Amino acid sequence: MRNRTLRIPATAAAVQEAIDQATAGEVVLLEQGGRLVAAVVPYEVAAAGVDLLNEAQDAADRLSGLRLIAELEAGMETMRLSDLRRELAS
């Protein structure tokens, strides 16, 4: 897979060319002010990336849950929601 860089702002023709290249399996990097800020990628690449991000978020959520359970089991102080609301309101 070959990368190409498109500087922003780009013409409509340049954007269409980036889309055509992504459709052909290439990655087009978008540059603004000398910094790479985004990419136009084939759909399969984007879908795989979204799946990986979702899996990473799920793992982070599971870890947070396990940590909370461990803290509760270790005697973490808890409070009823109604008490918390009353405390925050005063």
Side-chain angles (χ1 to χ4, degrees):
M1 193 175 321
R2 187 173 61 89
N3 290 353
R4 178 179 172 273
T5 301
L6 174 65
R7 288 181 179 75
I8 303 171
T11 64
V15 172
Q16 183 59 55
E17 182 182 346
I19 292 168
D20 293 343
Q21 289 177 331
T23 302
E26 294 184 34
V27 173
V28 180
L29 304 174
L30 304 181
E31 180 184 295
Q32 186 173 40
R35 290 185 37 228
L36 295 176
V37 295
V40 180
V41 299
Y43 173 78
E44 295 79 12
V45 172
V50 167
D51 289 344
L52 289 173
L53 287 173
N54 287 336
E55 288 176 24
Q57 184 62 54
D58 289 347
D61 290 345
R62 281 191 299 276
L63 181 57
S64 293
L66 291 172
R67 286 182 180 153
L68 179 58
I69 290 168
E71 289 177 13
L72 288 168
E73 290 175 347
M76 179 179 79
E77 186 178 333
T78 61
M79 169 183 283
R80 297 181 68 89
L81 180 58
S82 58
D83 294 338
L84 177 60
R85 285 183 176 147
R86 193 173 8 248
E87 185 177 308
L88 291 173
S90 55

